[in-house]
């Protein structure tokens, strides 16, 4: 997979990046269902990805979308 070789990005985080790349308007509850983890786990993973500069939120809470900012991720 594209996320192999990146020690600082875990399995769930790699999947989150892949899903956000394919569906930028995905919601945290939708991600939790797709990955089989809690919404809180999704939030923590996304916060980590944002801190690492791999993911960012564009727009507001309701009409915004996710942008994967690091192509190699």
């Amino acid at each position: 997979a594209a996320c192999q070789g990146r020690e600082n990005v875990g399995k769930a985080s790699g999947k989150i990046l892949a899903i956000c790349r394919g569906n930028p308007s995905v919601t945290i509850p939708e991600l939790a269902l797709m990955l089989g983890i809690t919404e809180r786990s999704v939030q923590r993973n996304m916060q980590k990805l944002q801190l690492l500069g791999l993911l960012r939120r564009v727009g507001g809470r309701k009409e915004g979308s996710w942008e994967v900012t690091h192509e190699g991720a």
Side-chain angles (χ1 to χ4, degrees):
C3 61
Q4 284 180 338
R6 294 191 61 83
E7 319 78 43
N8 59 347
V9 176
K11 202 160 103 176
S13 295
K15 289 179 181 176
I16 288 169
L17 284 175
I19 293 168
C20 288
R21 190 178 289 122
N23 179 10
S25 60
V26 70
T27 65
I28 287 174
E30 287 170 345
L31 281 165
L33 274 175
M34 288 182 214
L35 299 173
I37 60 177
T38 64
E39 290 181 27
R40 184 68 192 114
S41 292
V42 173
Q43 288 173 332
R44 273 197 304 270
N45 275 288
M46 293 182 104
Q47 283 174 336
K48 183 175 74 175
L49 291 169
Q50 288 178 77
L51 281 173
L52 291 170
L54 301 176
L55 186 69
R56 76 183 179 111
R57 185 73 179 166
V58 181
R61 283 176 57 110
K62 290 286 183 194
E63 66 286 331
S65 63
W66 295 102
E67 181 181 288
V68 178
T69 56
H70 191 280
E71 282 307 312

mmCIF file of all heavy atoms in Angstrom, residues 15-65:
data_model
loop_
_atom_site.group_PDB
_atom_site.id
_atom_site.type_symbol
_atom_site.label_atom_id
_atom_site.label_comp_id
_atom_site.label_asym_id
_atom_site.label_seq_id
_atom_site.Cartn_x
_atom_site.Cartn_y
_atom_site.Cartn_z
ATOM 1 N N LYS A 15 -5.097 4.510 6.419
ATOM 2 C CA LYS A 15 -6.408 4.280 5.808
ATOM 3 C C LYS A 15 -7.214 5.575 5.766
ATOM 4 O O LYS A 15 -7.908 5.842 4.787
ATOM 5 C CB LYS A 15 -7.175 3.200 6.576
ATOM 6 C CG LYS A 15 -6.600 1.814 6.385
ATOM 7 C CD LYS A 15 -7.388 0.795 7.190
ATOM 8 C CE LYS A 15 -6.807 -0.592 7.037
ATOM 9 N NZ LYS A 15 -7.500 -1.574 7.884
ATOM 10 N N ILE A 16 -7.125 6.370 6.834
ATOM 11 C CA ILE A 16 -7.835 7.652 6.872
ATOM 12 C C ILE A 16 -7.363 8.543 5.726
ATOM 13 O O ILE A 16 -8.173 9.149 5.017
ATOM 14 C CB ILE A 16 -7.652 8.350 8.237
ATOM 15 C CG1 ILE A 16 -8.461 7.607 9.311
ATOM 16 C CG2 ILE A 16 -8.071 9.820 8.173
ATOM 17 C CD1 ILE A 16 -8.163 8.027 10.740
ATOM 18 N N LEU A 17 -6.052 8.613 5.517
ATOM 19 C CA LEU A 17 -5.509 9.425 4.410
ATOM 20 C C LEU A 17 -6.037 8.936 3.068
ATOM 21 O O LEU A 17 -6.430 9.734 2.218
ATOM 22 C CB LEU A 17 -3.979 9.387 4.412
ATOM 23 C CG LEU A 17 -3.271 10.230 5.472
ATOM 24 C CD1 LEU A 17 -1.776 9.984 5.411
ATOM 25 C CD2 LEU A 17 -3.584 11.704 5.309
ATOM 26 N N ALA A 18 -6.036 7.618 2.882
ATOM 27 C CA ALA A 18 -6.497 7.054 1.607
ATOM 28 C C ALA A 18 -7.971 7.377 1.375
ATOM 29 O O ALA A 18 -8.363 7.766 0.265
ATOM 30 C CB ALA A 18 -6.268 5.548 1.591
ATOM 31 N N ILE A 19 -8.791 7.250 2.415
ATOM 32 C CA ILE A 19 -10.223 7.529 2.284
ATOM 33 C C ILE A 19 -10.449 9.015 2.020
ATOM 34 O O ILE A 19 -11.251 9.386 1.155
ATOM 35 C CB ILE A 19 -10.993 7.061 3.539
ATOM 36 C CG1 ILE A 19 -10.955 5.528 3.632
ATOM 37 C CG2 ILE A 19 -12.440 7.553 3.506
ATOM 38 C CD1 ILE A 19 -11.426 4.966 4.970
ATOM 39 N N CYS A 20 -9.737 9.877 2.744
ATOM 40 C CA CYS A 20 -9.896 11.321 2.567
ATOM 41 C C CYS A 20 -9.452 11.761 1.175
ATOM 42 O O CYS A 20 -10.012 12.687 0.603
ATOM 43 C CB CYS A 20 -9.119 12.090 3.630
ATOM 44 S SG CYS A 20 -9.857 11.978 5.267
ATOM 45 N N ARG A 21 -8.434 11.083 0.640
ATOM 46 C CA ARG A 21 -7.972 11.408 -0.716
ATOM 47 C C ARG A 21 -9.075 11.081 -1.723
ATOM 48 O O ARG A 21 -9.324 11.825 -2.661
ATOM 49 C CB ARG A 21 -6.693 10.643 -1.040
ATOM 50 C CG ARG A 21 -6.023 11.097 -2.311
ATOM 51 C CD ARG A 21 -4.724 10.352 -2.584
ATOM 52 N NE ARG A 21 -3.674 10.732 -1.650
ATOM 53 C CZ ARG A 21 -3.023 9.901 -0.851
ATOM 54 N NH1 ARG A 21 -3.327 8.618 -0.837
ATOM 55 N NH2 ARG A 21 -2.072 10.327 -0.052
ATOM 56 N N GLY A 22 -9.754 9.946 -1.521
ATOM 57 C CA GLY A 22 -10.800 9.523 -2.447
ATOM 58 C C GLY A 22 -12.138 10.193 -2.222
ATOM 59 O O GLY A 22 -12.938 10.317 -3.144
ATOM 60 N N ASN A 23 -12.392 10.633 -0.987
ATOM 61 C CA ASN A 23 -13.681 11.237 -0.633
ATOM 62 C C ASN A 23 -13.438 12.370 0.363
ATOM 63 O O ASN A 23 -13.608 12.177 1.576
ATOM 64 C CB ASN A 23 -14.606 10.158 -0.038
ATOM 65 C CG ASN A 23 -15.951 10.715 0.375
ATOM 66 O OD1 ASN A 23 -16.287 11.857 0.074
ATOM 67 N ND2 ASN A 23 -16.727 9.910 1.073
ATOM 68 N N PRO A 24 -13.037 13.552 -0.114
ATOM 69 C CA PRO A 24 -12.666 14.657 0.781
ATOM 70 C C PRO A 24 -13.775 15.130 1.722
ATOM 71 O O PRO A 24 -13.493 15.705 2.760
ATOM 72 C CB PRO A 24 -12.269 15.786 -0.182
ATOM 73 C CG PRO A 24 -11.941 15.101 -1.462
ATOM 74 C CD PRO A 24 -12.827 13.888 -1.516
ATOM 75 N N SER A 25 -15.036 14.858 1.372
ATOM 76 C CA SER A 25 -16.127 15.339 2.227
ATOM 77 C C SER A 25 -16.585 14.292 3.241
ATOM 78 O O SER A 25 -17.614 14.467 3.895
ATOM 79 C CB SER A 25 -17.307 15.796 1.356
ATOM 80 O OG SER A 25 -17.761 14.714 0.576
ATOM 81 N N VAL A 26 -15.815 13.218 3.412
ATOM 82 C CA VAL A 26 -16.173 12.164 4.363
ATOM 83 C C VAL A 26 -16.240 12.740 5.787
ATOM 84 O O VAL A 26 -15.506 13.670 6.128
ATOM 85 C CB VAL A 26 -15.159 10.992 4.279
ATOM 86 C CG1 VAL A 26 -13.801 11.384 4.819
ATOM 87 C CG2 VAL A 26 -15.686 9.758 4.990
ATOM 88 N N THR A 27 -17.144 12.196 6.595
ATOM 89 C CA THR A 27 -17.288 12.673 7.973
ATOM 90 C C THR A 27 -16.584 11.721 8.937
ATOM 91 O O THR A 27 -16.292 10.568 8.596
ATOM 92 C CB THR A 27 -18.776 12.750 8.375
ATOM 93 O OG1 THR A 27 -19.321 11.430 8.389
ATOM 94 C CG2 THR A 27 -19.567 13.633 7.421
ATOM 95 N N ILE A 28 -16.344 12.201 10.148
ATOM 96 C CA ILE A 28 -15.706 11.370 11.170
ATOM 97 C C ILE A 28 -16.564 10.136 11.500
ATOM 98 O O ILE A 28 -16.032 9.033 11.561
ATOM 99 C CB ILE A 28 -15.339 12.215 12.410
ATOM 100 C CG1 ILE A 28 -14.138 13.104 12.042
ATOM 101 C CG2 ILE A 28 -15.023 11.333 13.613
ATOM 102 C CD1 ILE A 28 -13.739 14.105 13.097
ATOM 103 N N PRO A 29 -17.897 10.282 11.666
ATOM 104 C CA PRO A 29 -18.707 9.075 11.909
ATOM 105 C C PRO A 29 -18.618 8.069 10.760
ATOM 106 O O PRO A 29 -18.583 6.858 10.998
ATOM 107 C CB PRO A 29 -20.133 9.626 12.050
ATOM 108 C CG PRO A 29 -19.939 11.034 12.510
ATOM 109 C CD PRO A 29 -18.685 11.508 11.833
ATOM 110 N N GLU A 30 -18.570 8.557 9.516
ATOM 111 C CA GLU A 30 -18.449 7.653 8.368
ATOM 112 C C GLU A 30 -17.105 6.922 8.405
ATOM 113 O O GLU A 30 -17.038 5.718 8.159
ATOM 114 C CB GLU A 30 -18.571 8.437 7.050
ATOM 115 C CG GLU A 30 -19.984 8.905 6.749
ATOM 116 C CD GLU A 30 -20.073 9.881 5.589
ATOM 117 O OE1 GLU A 30 -19.032 10.446 5.160
ATOM 118 O OE2 GLU A 30 -21.202 10.097 5.115
ATOM 119 N N LEU A 31 -16.039 7.660 8.716
ATOM 120 C CA LEU A 31 -14.711 7.040 8.817
ATOM 121 C C LEU A 31 -14.699 5.976 9.906
ATOM 122 O O LEU A 31 -14.140 4.895 9.718
ATOM 123 C CB LEU A 31 -13.647 8.103 9.109
ATOM 124 C CG LEU A 31 -13.189 8.938 7.914
ATOM 125 C CD1 LEU A 31 -12.428 10.164 8.385
ATOM 126 C CD2 LEU A 31 -12.331 8.110 6.979
ATOM 127 N N ALA A 32 -15.309 6.270 11.042
ATOM 128 C CA ALA A 32 -15.345 5.317 12.161
ATOM 129 C C ALA A 32 -16.030 4.017 11.727
ATOM 130 O O ALA A 32 -15.541 2.923 12.020
ATOM 131 C CB ALA A 32 -16.057 5.941 13.359
ATOM 132 N N LEU A 33 -17.136 4.144 10.999
ATOM 133 C CA LEU A 33 -17.855 2.964 10.515
ATOM 134 C C LEU A 33 -17.009 2.175 9.525
ATOM 135 O O LEU A 33 -16.924 0.953 9.599
ATOM 136 C CB LEU A 33 -19.158 3.391 9.825
ATOM 137 C CG LEU A 33 -20.373 3.586 10.707
ATOM 138 C CD1 LEU A 33 -21.544 4.123 9.895
ATOM 139 C CD2 LEU A 33 -20.755 2.278 11.390
ATOM 140 N N MET A 34 -16.368 2.873 8.580
ATOM 141 C CA MET A 34 -15.560 2.207 7.552
ATOM 142 C C MET A 34 -14.381 1.456 8.156
ATOM 143 O O MET A 34 -14.013 0.379 7.683
ATOM 144 C CB MET A 34 -15.013 3.236 6.549
ATOM 145 C CG MET A 34 -16.036 3.818 5.619
ATOM 146 S SD MET A 34 -15.206 4.960 4.487
ATOM 147 C CE MET A 34 -16.469 6.185 4.264
ATOM 148 N N LEU A 35 -13.776 2.043 9.191
ATOM 149 C CA LEU A 35 -12.557 1.477 9.760
ATOM 150 C C LEU A 35 -12.822 0.539 10.934
ATOM 151 O O LEU A 35 -11.912 -0.149 11.387
ATOM 152 C CB LEU A 35 -11.619 2.607 10.212
ATOM 153 C CG LEU A 35 -11.156 3.560 9.101
ATOM 154 C CD1 LEU A 35 -10.381 4.719 9.679
ATOM 155 C CD2 LEU A 35 -10.320 2.813 8.081
ATOM 156 N N GLY A 36 -14.037 0.568 11.458
ATOM 157 C CA GLY A 36 -14.364 -0.278 12.597
ATOM 158 C C GLY A 36 -13.712 0.193 13.890
ATOM 159 O O GLY A 36 -13.386 -0.615 14.755
ATOM 160 N N ILE A 37 -13.483 1.509 13.999
ATOM 161 C CA ILE A 37 -12.928 2.081 15.230
ATOM 162 C C ILE A 37 -13.873 3.170 15.728
ATOM 163 O O ILE A 37 -14.812 3.544 15.036
ATOM 164 C CB ILE A 37 -11.493 2.653 15.004
ATOM 165 C CG1 ILE A 37 -11.497 3.759 13.946
ATOM 166 C CG2 ILE A 37 -10.535 1.539 14.612
ATOM 167 C CD1 ILE A 37 -10.127 4.404 13.724
ATOM 168 N N THR A 38 -13.630 3.681 16.922
ATOM 169 C CA THR A 38 -14.524 4.688 17.493
ATOM 170 C C THR A 38 -14.288 6.054 16.838
ATOM 171 O O THR A 38 -13.222 6.325 16.284
ATOM 172 C CB THR A 38 -14.304 4.833 19.005
ATOM 173 O OG1 THR A 38 -12.979 5.320 19.226
ATOM 174 C CG2 THR A 38 -14.492 3.508 19.727
ATOM 175 N N GLU A 39 -15.304 6.912 16.927
ATOM 176 C CA GLU A 39 -15.172 8.274 16.401
ATOM 177 C C GLU A 39 -14.029 9.001 17.101
ATOM 178 O O GLU A 39 -13.299 9.770 16.480
ATOM 179 C CB GLU A 39 -16.483 9.052 16.582
ATOM 180 C CG GLU A 39 -17.589 8.548 15.673
ATOM 181 C CD GLU A 39 -18.878 9.326 15.825
ATOM 182 O OE1 GLU A 39 -18.830 10.512 16.215
ATOM 183 O OE2 GLU A 39 -19.948 8.752 15.546
ATOM 184 N N ARG A 40 -13.866 8.735 18.393
ATOM 185 C CA ARG A 40 -12.782 9.378 19.146
ATOM 186 C C ARG A 40 -11.413 8.967 18.595
ATOM 187 O O ARG A 40 -10.507 9.789 18.483
ATOM 188 C CB ARG A 40 -12.904 9.017 20.633
ATOM 189 C CG ARG A 40 -11.902 9.707 21.516
ATOM 190 C CD ARG A 40 -12.159 11.227 21.588
ATOM 191 N NE ARG A 40 -11.022 11.886 22.201
ATOM 192 C CZ ARG A 40 -10.203 12.744 21.590
ATOM 193 N NH1 ARG A 40 -10.412 13.079 20.340
ATOM 194 N NH2 ARG A 40 -9.200 13.284 22.222
ATOM 195 N N SER A 41 -11.280 7.684 18.246
ATOM 196 C CA SER A 41 -10.022 7.214 17.648
ATOM 197 C C SER A 41 -9.759 7.903 16.316
ATOM 198 O O SER A 41 -8.627 8.280 16.011
ATOM 199 C CB SER A 41 -10.049 5.701 17.436
ATOM 200 O OG SER A 41 -10.053 5.035 18.672
ATOM 201 N N VAL A 42 -10.816 8.075 15.514
ATOM 202 C CA VAL A 42 -10.684 8.784 14.233
ATOM 203 C C VAL A 42 -10.221 10.215 14.492
ATOM 204 O O VAL A 42 -9.291 10.703 13.842
ATOM 205 C CB VAL A 42 -12.011 8.774 13.442
ATOM 206 C CG1 VAL A 42 -11.908 9.664 12.204
ATOM 207 C CG2 VAL A 42 -12.391 7.350 13.046
ATOM 208 N N GLN A 43 -10.842 10.886 15.468
ATOM 209 C CA GLN A 43 -10.464 12.276 15.783
ATOM 210 C C GLN A 43 -8.997 12.358 16.193
ATOM 211 O O GLN A 43 -8.277 13.242 15.733
ATOM 212 C CB GLN A 43 -11.347 12.825 16.907
ATOM 213 C CG GLN A 43 -12.770 13.100 16.473
ATOM 214 C CD GLN A 43 -13.661 13.481 17.650
ATOM 215 O OE1 GLN A 43 -13.414 13.078 18.790
ATOM 216 N NE2 GLN A 43 -14.695 14.252 17.378
ATOM 217 N N ARG A 44 -8.570 11.440 17.063
ATOM 218 C CA ARG A 44 -7.168 11.450 17.511
ATOM 219 C C ARG A 44 -6.220 11.243 16.340
ATOM 220 O O ARG A 44 -5.209 11.929 16.218
ATOM 221 C CB ARG A 44 -6.935 10.364 18.570
ATOM 222 C CG ARG A 44 -7.239 10.819 19.975
ATOM 223 C CD ARG A 44 -6.615 9.885 21.005
ATOM 224 N NE ARG A 44 -7.024 8.493 20.831
ATOM 225 C CZ ARG A 44 -8.088 7.950 21.408
ATOM 226 N NH1 ARG A 44 -8.842 8.667 22.211
ATOM 227 N NH2 ARG A 44 -8.385 6.690 21.209
ATOM 228 N N ASN A 45 -6.534 10.281 15.481
ATOM 229 C CA ASN A 45 -5.699 10.013 14.309
ATOM 230 C C ASN A 45 -5.641 11.229 13.395
ATOM 231 O O ASN A 45 -4.582 11.581 12.878
ATOM 232 C CB ASN A 45 -6.240 8.809 13.529
ATOM 233 C CG ASN A 45 -5.728 7.484 14.075
ATOM 234 O OD1 ASN A 45 -4.572 7.157 13.903
ATOM 235 N ND2 ASN A 45 -6.587 6.746 14.745
ATOM 236 N N MET A 46 -6.784 11.875 13.188
ATOM 237 C CA MET A 46 -6.823 13.034 12.290
ATOM 238 C C MET A 46 -6.061 14.214 12.891
ATOM 239 O O MET A 46 -5.395 14.956 12.169
ATOM 240 C CB MET A 46 -8.264 13.399 11.947
ATOM 241 C CG MET A 46 -8.915 12.312 11.099
ATOM 242 S SD MET A 46 -10.573 12.698 10.605
ATOM 243 C CE MET A 46 -10.301 13.151 8.898
ATOM 244 N N GLN A 47 -6.139 14.383 14.201
ATOM 245 C CA GLN A 47 -5.373 15.443 14.852
ATOM 246 C C GLN A 47 -3.878 15.204 14.650
ATOM 247 O O GLN A 47 -3.126 16.132 14.358
ATOM 248 C CB GLN A 47 -5.693 15.502 16.355
ATOM 249 C CG GLN A 47 -7.022 16.157 16.656
ATOM 250 C CD GLN A 47 -7.381 16.075 18.131
ATOM 251 O OE1 GLN A 47 -6.916 15.195 18.856
ATOM 252 N NE2 GLN A 47 -8.220 16.988 18.585
ATOM 253 N N LYS A 48 -3.458 13.940 14.785
ATOM 254 C CA LYS A 48 -2.053 13.594 14.595
ATOM 255 C C LYS A 48 -1.628 13.886 13.153
ATOM 256 O O LYS A 48 -0.571 14.473 12.913
ATOM 257 C CB LYS A 48 -1.835 12.112 14.936
ATOM 258 C CG LYS A 48 -0.390 11.666 14.840
ATOM 259 C CD LYS A 48 -0.201 10.234 15.296
ATOM 260 C CE LYS A 48 -0.734 9.270 14.252
ATOM 261 N NZ LYS A 48 -0.466 7.859 14.596
ATOM 262 N N LEU A 49 -2.469 13.499 12.201
ATOM 263 C CA LEU A 49 -2.162 13.739 10.788
ATOM 264 C C LEU A 49 -2.068 15.236 10.485
ATOM 265 O O LEU A 49 -1.226 15.670 9.700
ATOM 266 C CB LEU A 49 -3.224 13.090 9.899
ATOM 267 C CG LEU A 49 -3.210 11.559 9.885
ATOM 268 C CD1 LEU A 49 -4.456 11.019 9.209
ATOM 269 C CD2 LEU A 49 -1.965 11.032 9.213
ATOM 270 N N GLN A 50 -2.930 16.024 11.134
ATOM 271 C CA GLN A 50 -2.888 17.472 10.928
ATOM 272 C C GLN A 50 -1.615 18.058 11.533
ATOM 273 O O GLN A 50 -0.982 18.927 10.932
ATOM 274 C CB GLN A 50 -4.143 18.126 11.508
ATOM 275 C CG GLN A 50 -5.388 17.817 10.674
ATOM 276 C CD GLN A 50 -6.656 18.407 11.262
ATOM 277 O OE1 GLN A 50 -6.895 19.594 11.137
ATOM 278 N NE2 GLN A 50 -7.448 17.582 11.917
ATOM 279 N N LEU A 51 -1.234 17.576 12.708
ATOM 280 C CA LEU A 51 0.009 18.047 13.337
ATOM 281 C C LEU A 51 1.227 17.713 12.490
ATOM 282 O O LEU A 51 2.176 18.490 12.414
ATOM 283 C CB LEU A 51 0.174 17.423 14.728
ATOM 284 C CG LEU A 51 -0.638 18.048 15.849
ATOM 285 C CD1 LEU A 51 -0.512 17.219 17.126
ATOM 286 C CD2 LEU A 51 -0.194 19.475 16.109
ATOM 287 N N LEU A 52 1.198 16.539 11.839
ATOM 288 C CA LEU A 52 2.308 16.119 10.986
ATOM 289 C C LEU A 52 2.294 16.837 9.631
ATOM 290 O O LEU A 52 3.210 16.678 8.843
ATOM 291 C CB LEU A 52 2.246 14.598 10.752
ATOM 292 C CG LEU A 52 2.541 13.720 11.969
ATOM 293 C CD1 LEU A 52 2.203 12.262 11.661
ATOM 294 C CD2 LEU A 52 3.996 13.858 12.387
ATOM 295 N N GLY A 53 1.227 17.597 9.370
ATOM 296 C CA GLY A 53 1.132 18.325 8.114
ATOM 297 C C GLY A 53 0.708 17.458 6.940
ATOM 298 O O GLY A 53 0.932 17.823 5.788
ATOM 299 N N LEU A 54 0.095 16.311 7.219
ATOM 300 C CA LEU A 54 -0.318 15.402 6.148
ATOM 301 C C LEU A 54 -1.767 15.606 5.729
ATOM 302 O O LEU A 54 -2.184 15.154 4.666
ATOM 303 C CB LEU A 54 -0.135 13.946 6.592
ATOM 304 C CG LEU A 54 1.282 13.536 6.982
ATOM 305 C CD1 LEU A 54 1.296 12.105 7.478
ATOM 306 C CD2 LEU A 54 2.225 13.711 5.815
ATOM 307 N N LEU A 55 -2.546 16.272 6.581
ATOM 308 C CA LEU A 55 -3.978 16.430 6.339
ATOM 309 C C LEU A 55 -4.397 17.797 6.839
ATOM 310 O O LEU A 55 -3.890 18.267 7.856
ATOM 311 C CB LEU A 55 -4.736 15.335 7.120
ATOM 312 C CG LEU A 55 -6.229 15.214 6.912
ATOM 313 C CD1 LEU A 55 -6.541 14.693 5.509
ATOM 314 C CD2 LEU A 55 -6.831 14.255 7.932
ATOM 315 N N ARG A 56 -5.310 18.440 6.102
ATOM 316 C CA ARG A 56 -5.838 19.702 6.626
ATOM 317 C C ARG A 56 -7.299 19.857 6.250
ATOM 318 O O ARG A 56 -7.764 19.280 5.267
ATOM 319 C CB ARG A 56 -5.013 20.896 6.178
ATOM 320 C CG ARG A 56 -5.199 21.342 4.775
ATOM 321 C CD ARG A 56 -4.252 22.502 4.468
ATOM 322 N NE ARG A 56 -4.419 22.907 3.098
ATOM 323 C CZ ARG A 56 -4.963 24.067 2.726
ATOM 324 N NH1 ARG A 56 -5.329 24.947 3.626
ATOM 325 N NH2 ARG A 56 -5.105 24.356 1.453
ATOM 326 N N ARG A 57 -7.995 20.628 7.059
ATOM 327 C CA ARG A 57 -9.415 20.883 6.861
ATOM 328 C C ARG A 57 -9.559 22.157 6.045
ATOM 329 O O ARG A 57 -8.973 23.187 6.383
ATOM 330 C CB ARG A 57 -10.101 21.041 8.227
ATOM 331 C CG ARG A 57 -11.602 21.181 8.154
ATOM 332 C CD ARG A 57 -12.252 19.872 7.808
ATOM 333 N NE ARG A 57 -13.701 20.007 7.758
ATOM 334 C CZ ARG A 57 -14.502 19.108 7.224
ATOM 335 N NH1 ARG A 57 -14.015 18.006 6.728
ATOM 336 N NH2 ARG A 57 -15.790 19.286 7.202
ATOM 337 N N VAL A 58 -10.330 22.089 4.975
ATOM 338 C CA VAL A 58 -10.590 23.250 4.133
ATOM 339 C C VAL A 58 -12.071 23.580 4.275
ATOM 340 O O VAL A 58 -12.918 22.728 4.038
ATOM 341 C CB VAL A 58 -10.265 22.946 2.646
ATOM 342 C CG1 VAL A 58 -10.517 24.159 1.780
ATOM 343 C CG2 VAL A 58 -8.825 22.480 2.511
ATOM 344 N N GLY A 59 -12.379 24.811 4.692
ATOM 345 C CA GLY A 59 -13.775 25.193 4.870
ATOM 346 C C GLY A 59 -14.260 24.906 6.274
ATOM 347 O O GLY A 59 -13.507 24.471 7.134
ATOM 348 N N GLY A 60 -15.543 25.117 6.480
ATOM 349 C CA GLY A 60 -16.127 24.984 7.813
ATOM 350 C C GLY A 60 -16.492 23.561 8.176
ATOM 351 O O GLY A 60 -16.277 22.618 7.419
ATOM 352 N N ARG A 61 -17.056 23.424 9.364
ATOM 353 C CA ARG A 61 -17.410 22.097 9.888
ATOM 354 C C ARG A 61 -18.447 21.391 9.015
ATOM 355 O O ARG A 61 -18.366 20.205 8.782
ATOM 356 C CB ARG A 61 -17.988 22.236 11.295
ATOM 357 C CG ARG A 61 -16.945 22.477 12.355
ATOM 358 C CD ARG A 61 -17.614 22.700 13.698
ATOM 359 N NE ARG A 61 -18.465 21.559 14.044
ATOM 360 C CZ ARG A 61 -18.218 20.692 15.010
ATOM 361 N NH1 ARG A 61 -17.154 20.853 15.750
ATOM 362 N NH2 ARG A 61 -19.028 19.696 15.256
ATOM 363 N N LYS A 62 -19.453 22.124 8.569
ATOM 364 C CA LYS A 62 -20.557 21.501 7.836
ATOM 365 C C LYS A 62 -20.245 21.296 6.354
ATOM 366 O O LYS A 62 -20.469 20.231 5.815
ATOM 367 C CB LYS A 62 -21.834 22.348 7.961
ATOM 368 C CG LYS A 62 -22.440 22.324 9.343
ATOM 369 C CD LYS A 62 -23.127 21.005 9.601
ATOM 370 C CE LYS A 62 -23.799 20.993 10.950
ATOM 371 N NZ LYS A 62 -24.190 19.656 11.365
ATOM 372 N N GLU A 63 -19.735 22.326 5.710
ATOM 373 C CA GLU A 63 -19.558 22.243 4.257
ATOM 374 C C GLU A 63 -18.100 22.079 3.837
ATOM 375 O O GLU A 63 -17.784 22.112 2.669
ATOM 376 C CB GLU A 63 -20.161 23.476 3.576
ATOM 377 C CG GLU A 63 -19.467 24.803 3.885
ATOM 378 C CD GLU A 63 -19.742 25.333 5.283
ATOM 379 O OE1 GLU A 63 -20.822 25.049 5.833
ATOM 380 O OE2 GLU A 63 -18.878 26.033 5.814
ATOM 381 N N GLY A 64 -17.224 21.869 4.812
ATOM 382 C CA GLY A 64 -15.795 21.752 4.521
ATOM 383 C C GLY A 64 -15.408 20.386 3.973
ATOM 384 O O GLY A 64 -16.234 19.484 3.841
ATOM 385 N N SER A 65 -14.134 20.248 3.662
ATOM 386 C CA SER A 65 -13.618 18.972 3.168
ATOM 387 C C SER A 65 -12.203 18.768 3.685
ATOM 388 O O SER A 65 -11.563 19.693 4.192
ATOM 389 C CB SER A 65 -13.622 18.956 1.636
ATOM 390 O OG SER A 65 -12.760 19.948 1.131
#
